[in-house]
Amino acid sequence: MSNLTLVREFILMGFPADESLSILHSLLFSLIYSCSLMGNTLIIIIISWAQHLHTPMYFFLKNLSFLDLCMISVTVPKSIANSVTQDHSISFLGCATQVFLFILTAATELHLLTVMSFDRYAAICHPLHYDLIMNRGLCVQMTAGSWVGGFLVSLMHTASTFSLSFCDSNVIHQFFCDIPQLLAISCSESLLIETIPILLGVLVDTCCFVSIVITYVYIFSTVRKIPSSEGRSKAFSTCIPHLVVVVLFLTTGIFAYMKPTSKSPSISNLVISVFYTMVPPTLNPIIYSLRNSAMKMAVRMLFKRILT
């Protein structure tokens, strides 16, 4: 434990300290965060308010929006504040908390996306038995299971990462406390204690991804049998964007965690991290909800009620 006190704070140097670039960074991140905040909050309010949206699919979507809000709020506001104040420090405890909360929300979101693919499979491939399969009890259990799984994964990663020694450099070349960059500055002789959790995490992520792909293969094979070309087109236009977001989220995350660590700054690391920390929370409201006709109708009803 004495090793842990050698570094009392970390310096987040993800972006150049140039004043004009700092302003651009803070404005861009503020815009992205505002869009994500408004989109996900709107979805949570609408699904909670509209009675006709109290179905399993929208129950999962509301939980996804809440997760997206949490995930982007863990990293982006701190990064914006650092750029505005030009104070890039974060305490040791703050860094550990950020790692724990980010892994918690990211892992839980992946598990929930896997559950949501099963929900779509049940709705499209077994429509007559959908209400029986996706009953309220099962929905709550699967959502709770996603959170429990995310908590265990996060606890494993956080405990193993911060059991390492940090005694040489405290400069993290990232805009938030991320495990690969923490491993790069650790002065522990062996990183096996965190390498094993990363490999286990990648294995779990791969299993989730394979499950999602297999589920969508069955969904697409069922959709192809729909006699109406308009119906097929609508189903494909709904499912394909879902897959794109999942693939983007997983591939960038796995690549970031599996690539060799480096103590030197890298613009590619920053770009990749944006894709798995900020893009999904910003795009998910549009792809999963706001393109949906039932959601659009609920939005119109809500604003009509507010204005009258």
Side-chain angles (χ1 to χ4, degrees):
M1 293 296 293
S2 59
N3 286 335
L4 296 179
T5 61
L6 295 176
V7 169
R8 298 182 181 275
E9 67 176 16
F10 295 99
I11 307 298
L12 300 173
M13 294 299 296
F15 292 93
D18 180 81
E19 185 177 353
S20 59
L21 290 177
S22 294
I23 294 173
L24 179 62
H25 157 236
S26 59
L27 289 175
L28 181 60
F29 271 38
S30 297
L31 177 62
I32 294 173
Y33 182 64
S34 299
C35 291
S36 178
L37 190 67
M38 289 187 293
N40 286 294
T41 302
L42 181 62
I43 288 170
I44 293 172
I45 292 173
I46 289 171
I47 294 177
S48 301
W49 172 76
Q51 291 293 323
H52 69 281
L53 298 181
H54 291 179
T55 63
M57 182 181 79
Y58 294 103
F59 172 76
F60 293 133
L61 285 175
K62 184 167 73 170
N63 278 274
L64 180 66
S65 290
F66 177 72
L67 274 170
D68 284 335
L69 270 178
C70 294
M71 184 164 71
I72 199 169
S73 296
V74 168
T75 58
V76 175
K78 174 63 176 174
S79 180
I80 296 171
N82 288 350
S83 290
V84 172
T85 62
Q86 291 296 304
D87 178 10
H88 298 275
S89 64
I90 182 171
S91 67
F92 190 95
L93 179 60
C95 187
T97 302
Q98 196 174 62
V99 167
F100 176 80
L101 292 177
F102 176 73
I103 299 295
L104 169 64
T105 52
T108 303
E109 177 156 329
L110 177 59
H111 300 160
L112 187 64
L113 289 171
T114 307
V115 168
M116 290 170 65
S117 69
F118 175 75
D119 173 69
R120 291 299 84 208
Y121 164 78
I124 294 174
C125 300
H126 302 283
L128 298 179
H129 303 286
Y130 177 72
D131 291 334
L132 183 63
I133 297 172
M134 300 302 297
N135 58 75
R136 181 169 180 79
L138 180 62
C139 293
V140 172
Q141 289 172 12
M142 290 195 295
T143 303
S146 298
W147 278 98
V148 170
F151 174 81
L152 293 176
V153 169
S154 180
L155 185 64
M156 175 183 67
H157 278 293
T158 307
S160 58
T161 300
F162 289 93
S163 64
L164 300 173
S165 300
F166 298 96
C167 51
D168 184 13
S169 171
N170 68 339
V171 177
I172 300 174
H173 293 289
Q174 185 58 276
F175 66 89
F176 70 105
C177 286
D178 205 8
I179 291 176
Q181 280 67 44
L182 286 166
L183 296 183
I185 63 172
S186 172
C187 58
S188 293
E189 294 182 2
S190 175
L191 299 180
L192 185 64
I193 192 171
E194 175 54 22
T195 302
I196 292 176
I198 286 179
L199 292 175
L200 289 174
V202 170
L203 178 62
V204 172
D205 293 349
T206 303
C207 290
C208 289
F209 178 66
V210 170
S211 299
I212 291 171
V213 170
I214 292 174
T215 300
Y216 273 102
V217 167
Y218 280 105
I219 290 174
F220 288 147
S221 64
T222 301
V223 169
R224 288 181 61 187
K225 299 174 184 177
I226 297 177
S228 167
S229 59
E230 183 180 349
R232 290 195 302 270
S233 176
K234 183 178 179 180
F236 280 126
S237 67
T238 300
C239 294
I240 290 176
H242 295 186
L243 271 180
V244 170
V245 171
V246 171
V247 170
L248 186 66
F249 180 49
L250 270 177
T251 53
T252 53
I254 290 176
F255 180 77
Y257 276 67
M258 293 299 292
K259 69 188 292 287
T261 58
S262 174
K263 291 185 179 181
S264 59
S266 170
I267 191 65
S268 63
N269 288 338
L270 293 172
V271 173
I272 290 170
S273 64
V274 166
F275 275 104
Y276 65 83
T277 59
M278 298 173 63
V279 171
T282 307
L283 289 185
N284 281 345
I286 300 171
I287 290 177
Y288 282 95
S289 300
L290 298 181
R291 294 169 67 249
N292 184 291
S293 58
M295 284 292 296
K296 290 178 181 178
M297 183 180 71
V299 170
R300 288 194 294 267
M301 290 171 57
L302 177 61
F303 280 102
K304 183 178 180 181
R305 182 166 180 175
I306 292 173
L307 295 174
T308 55

